[in-house]
Amino acid sequence: MSYHSIVLVKQVPDTANISGNVMKPDGTVNRAKLPAVFNPEDEVALELALQVKERYGGKVTAITMGPPKASDILRECLYMGADEVCLITDRKFAGADTLATSYVLSETIKKFAPYDFIFAGRQAIDGDTAQVGPQTAEKLGIPQITYAEDVIEVKKDGVTIKRRIDGGNETLKSVMPLLITVIKEATAPRPFRAKLAMAYKNAKSLMEIEKMVESNSLLLLDDLIEEYKANGLFIPTLTTEDLDVDIERCGLSGSPTKVHKIESVILAGGEHEKINPDKEGLGYLVDKLMEDHIFG
Amino acid sequence: MKKLSNEVWVYIEQRSGKVADVSFELLSKGRKLAKEINGVLKAVVIGHKMDSVVQETFSFGAQETIVVDHPALEEYKTMPYSRLVSELVGSRKPRIVLFGASFIGRDIAPRVASNTVSGLTADCTNLQIADVTYQKKDYKQLLLQIRPAFGGNIIATIITPDNPVQMATVREGVMEMAPLDKAVNGKIDKVDYVPGDIDGLIEIIDHHQEESKVNLKSASIIVAGGYGMGSKENFSLIHNLAEAIGGEVAGSRASVDAGFVEHERQVGQTGVTVRPKLYIACGISGAIQHRAGMDESNKIIAINNDPEAPIFGVCHYGIVGDVEDVIPKFIEAYKNKLK
């Protein structure tokens, strides 16, 4: 028995290291100005998918939707052992909220059917919404298990998964296909395999090959694509033209939620009493708190 | 344009008949929102033997409670529960639907939003009603869904202008729980459970749950450590201080992510919101997401070696110094005074 796993991955701004003016006037994010990283929980999702493949056989397909630059993390998926990757990119997808995103993802996933599992990180660190996984499952009409921490066993008739719940855990058995969102505690992602990194470091998406052609008039786009394909280094790239999507349901127009207002946080220095970090100062502070009946 | 509903719904999350606090908090908030739109507050209850749960929703102001009660619904399962809520939302199109941003809420709400093509905003720290002009069109009484975003550098106000249903999730503790002195004489709307094909796709094999030993929300003193504590070993200073003064231990997201302290003790937008009598923030810089979870504390003490740290903007007493130095001195000062 072997299983096909699709992994949804996302390139995210490194929200721990934000600086400067990264918001555009329309309230969406200027990702070009941010350092971009592989969303941590998506890396764990890929790891679980690779483990399923190693235990039972099968293949792993990693899919991302994002700007052309997102092909960075697809190469990283290849370095970790993904068999196949796919970049979904189009200006018309820009500004998508979670609903519009899940619509495009679900339409893309249909192209990769049949599949047994869809793995995704529980949430991405740029929004922390945890919505895209379940919304995609709903669109595909398949069940979901969120907050998964272990894939216990896969059998032909179903998969057993342990998931986190409030104050404990649950073991569930589900039929396939199934969408699983993964928490970071599940496992640690493997490092890149040197051999794979060597093999795929020159893998390129359509846009990246187009750029090469633009800067070198001796190259012909179609020939170059064929060459990359022949060498297994072409990252399949889907745009609205390749997908059977209703444009009205994509990007900003397909997003019911809109950003009405953005306020920069001005961390005003409110009035407070300064306490010296010595015996006297702290003694005074304890007295104050006793007066207020907080201590004592 | 079709006439919009004036109903505010709150999904009531329960396990074995015990309602999650966040659902009561949302009913309390929902009551105010419903009043502002001259609307009706309704609770949605799914489960088995739900009579007492339904009565509880009336104590928090639900004017009507929609209940689907059946033995097959005894335990929370994603598929039947989300299907049932989707059918209710899809057919009745309430104006606002609120869910807790909990394990259950975050499991069910996105499916319902996806199914009914509704807008959904996660982890709101504030909800308001206001008239809005968006792209030169006027909208009456929209739900403003307010949340910090992007590493706390911004506060975003999200709206769902052209959609009949506006949905949001809110973390536990963000809204205040306000039971009524006298329960509403609410209506009960019983909806029959008709099994669906997808209901049984997932079965529960095993279920472990313990009442959480951590109860930050009811602690009167909280000692919280941040990334500035430096290491898990150093974080023991937080435990020492908490033990000495009789407080609960908490942490910022950065200290939870670094593994200094467990997730259930996280204070902030994606953790718990607290309002203790005293909050001591040690080595916490004070990003907006953290402040959203503690800035309504009665008294706040900040200890940080960076005098520019934003936490000093919300504290009542500020101590500039190294946590390794200040915390032991604080404990000593306390012990000396209370001898």
Side-chain angles (χ1 to χ4, degrees):
Chain A
M1 202 53 214
S2 69
Y3 302 96
H4 180 201
S5 296
I6 292 174
V7 187
L8 305 179
V9 297
K10 186 182 185 187
Q11 190 180 43
V12 290
D14 191 357
T15 48
N17 299 301
I18 287 187
S19 61
N21 197 2
V22 298
M23 305 306 294
K24 289 191 271 189
D26 66 349
T28 55
V29 176
N30 189 351
R31 278 162 202 275
K33 284 199 180 166
L34 288 169
V37 295
F38 200 135
N39 182 50
E41 285 186 333
D42 296 348
E43 245 180 321
V44 178
L46 175 59
E47 174 62 34
L48 281 191
L50 291 169
Q51 288 178 12
V52 167
K53 178 189 155 184
E54 283 159 0
R55 276 157 74 186
Y56 305 99
K59 95 178 159 171
V60 173
T61 306
I63 297 176
T64 193
M65 176 171 129
K69 196 182 160 2
S71 54
D72 291 346
I73 61 164
L74 292 179
R75 274 184 289 274
E76 295 183 14
C77 291
L78 292 167
Y79 302 164
M80 285 171 71
D83 298 284
E84 156 181 69
V85 296
C86 172
L87 172 67
I88 315 164
T89 189
D90 200 309
R91 284 184 187 281
K92 296 192 180 93
F93 296 150
D97 71 359
T98 61
L99 192 81
T101 301
S102 66
Y103 170 65
V104 176
L105 286 175
S106 64
E107 289 303 316
T108 307
I109 288 165
K110 287 176 189 167
K111 287 195 166 277
F112 287 89
Y115 53 87
D116 302 286
F117 302 110
I118 302 169
F119 285 96
R122 164 192 48 171
Q123 62 193 34
I125 57 168
D126 55 347
D128 287 332
T129 72
Q131 286 172 189
V132 170
Q135 289 185 320
T136 304
E138 178 72 26
K139 294 241 179 302
L140 292 166
I142 64 172
Q144 76 192 29
I145 294 178
T146 52
Y147 292 89
E149 52 182 12
D150 192 16
V151 177
I152 295 170
E153 190 180 29
V154 187
K155 282 184 176 171
K156 211 176 155 202
D157 67 336
V159 54
T160 312
I161 285 174
K162 193 171 157 195
R163 76 181 290 247
R164 188 77 57 91
I165 57 168
D166 31 318
N169 55 65
E170 231 173 21
T171 305
L172 303 172
K173 187 169 178 189
S174 173
V175 298
M176 279 102 70
L178 166 74
L179 184 142
I180 303 158
T181 76
V182 176
I183 55 175
K184 64 173 185 290
E185 291 81 1
T187 186
R190 65 192 61 194
F192 301 153
R193 299 278 145 99
K195 224 175 102 186
L196 293 171
M198 288 300 287
Y200 290 114
K201 67 177 183 201
N202 292 320
K204 287 193 164 48
S205 69
L206 177 63
M207 285 75 195
E208 287 166 329
I209 295 173
E210 281 172 350
K211 263 206 174 139
M212 289 170 70
V213 174
E214 275 168 33
S215 58
N216 185 342
S217 57
L218 295 174
L219 296 172
L220 289 169
L221 183 63
D222 289 348
D223 292 355
L224 206 54
I225 291 172
E226 283 315 312
E227 193 187 318
Y228 270 82
K229 278 186 180 163
N231 292 324
L233 293 175
F234 181 66
I235 295 177
T237 311
L238 302 180
T239 65
T240 43
E241 287 168 29
D242 309 297
L243 290 165
D244 197 13
V245 290
D246 174 357
I247 293 295
E248 283 301 302
R249 294 179 66 185
C250 301
L252 204 56
S253 62
S255 300
T257 59
K258 314 279 185 196
V259 178
H260 169 49
K261 209 164 58 177
I262 296 273
E263 285 161 289
S264 292
V265 174
I266 300 155
L267 299 168
E271 285 295 303
H272 69 268
E273 193 171 341
K274 290 193 173 61
I275 305 290
N276 285 328
D278 53 24
K279 198 176 162 187
E280 264 180 20
L282 293 165
Y284 163 80
L285 178 60
V286 172
D287 284 342
K288 279 287 236 184
L289 295 169
M290 285 170 74
E291 269 171 40
D292 288 345
H293 303 289
I294 292 170
F295 282 164
Chain B
M1 195 172 158
K2 266 188 280 179
K3 197 174 174 319
L4 295 166
S5 151
N6 67 347
E7 294 183 6
V8 177
W9 288 14
V10 175
Y11 173 75
I12 304 300
E13 174 181 329
Q14 56 83 27
R15 290 198 196 264
S16 312
K18 187 177 183 306
V19 177
D21 282 356
V22 68
S23 300
F24 290 141
E25 293 160 11
L26 289 176
L27 281 174
S28 307
K29 180 70 184 180
R31 211 158 71 212
K32 292 181 196 155
L33 296 175
K35 205 171 162 193
E36 287 187 55
I37 63 170
N38 293 317
V40 183
L41 178 66
K42 293 191 177 183
V44 179
V45 173
I46 297 174
H48 184 46
K49 297 187 178 153
M50 289 292 101
D51 293 353
S52 71
V53 171
V54 170
Q55 290 311 313
E56 285 183 277
T57 65
F58 296 146
S59 309
F60 283 87
Q63 289 154 282
E64 186 176 321
T65 295
I66 303 165
V67 55
V68 192
D69 191 321
H70 191 274
L73 301 171
E74 183 153 10
E75 288 161 310
Y76 173 80
K77 287 184 187 174
T78 309
M79 299 311 284
Y81 274 60
S82 66
R83 177 180 68 81
L84 292 166
V85 179
S86 292
E87 285 170 9
L88 288 166
V89 170
S91 61
R92 305 187 187 189
K93 301 219 177 339
R95 193 71 185 105
I96 293 170
V97 188
L98 305 178
F99 295 85
S102 56
F103 282 84
I104 287 180
R106 282 155 66 94
D107 192 61
I108 190 172
R111 284 199 82 110
V112 175
S114 184
N115 182 287
T116 60
V117 198
S118 307
L120 173 63
T121 302
D123 295 336
C124 296
T125 51
N126 195 354
L127 296 170
Q128 294 169 6
I129 301 290
D131 295 343
V132 169
T133 306
Y134 179 75
Q135 297 196 334
K136 294 176 185 163
K137 269 173 80 179
D138 292 328
Y139 298 87
K140 288 262 172 254
Q141 297 181 335
L142 283 189
L143 181 68
L144 304 186
Q145 303 146 49
I146 300 164
R147 73 185 302 254
F150 254 78
N153 289 17
I154 55 165
I155 299 269
T157 302
I158 311 291
I159 50 171
T160 314
D162 295 308
N163 218 271
V165 185
Q166 313 165 93
M167 300 187 10
T169 70
V170 178
R171 293 265 166 178
E172 181 180 330
V174 171
M175 304 298 173
E176 280 191 85
M177 196 192 288
L180 297 172
D181 296 334
K182 193 168 168 282
V184 174
N185 187 14
K187 273 205 303 196
I188 299 175
D189 178 4
K190 281 197 171 156
V191 174
D192 286 337
Y193 170 67
V194 183
D197 299 342
I198 57 170
D199 292 5
L201 293 180
I202 299 181
E203 57 176 312
I204 300 172
I205 295 178
D206 199 12
H207 181 98
H208 287 286
Q209 212 179 0
E210 282 168 32
E211 195 73 12
S212 176
K213 291 179 201 84
V214 183
N215 193 348
L216 287 178
K217 272 196 311 177
S218 61
S220 62
I221 297 176
I222 291 175
V223 184
Y227 193 68
M229 294 307 297
S231 66
K232 192 162 183 177
E233 290 67 47
N234 261 357
F235 204 89
S236 61
L237 288 170
I238 300 295
H239 291 271
N240 298 347
L241 178 56
E243 197 183 345
I245 64 175
E248 273 282 355
V249 170
S252 67
R253 177 171 182 163
S255 64
V256 170
D257 283 350
F260 299 169
V261 60
E262 54 284 29
H263 177 259
E264 54 186 342
R265 293 186 184 273
Q266 184 184 320
V267 167
Q269 185 202 3
T270 56
V272 187
T273 296
V274 295
R275 297 175 180 83
K277 279 204 263 181
L278 176 64
Y279 190 92
I280 308 181
C282 311
I284 292 177
S285 65
I288 189 73
Q289 292 100 322
H290 187 74
R291 292 162 49 145
M294 47 67 78
D295 62 5
E296 287 177 34
S297 303
N298 185 27
K299 282 279 183 286
I300 297 167
I301 300 173
I303 306 171
N304 205 301
N305 60 8
D306 174 10
E308 303 296 316
I311 192 74
F312 289 117
V314 284
C315 74
H316 303 90
Y317 302 106
I319 306 171
V320 178
D322 287 328
V323 284
E324 293 97 325
D325 176 53
V326 177
I327 293 176
K329 283 185 185 160
F330 194 149
I331 294 172
E332 209 187 300
Y334 179 82
K335 287 187 174 160
N336 282 337
K337 294 282 176 185
L338 273 93
K339 254 179 200 160

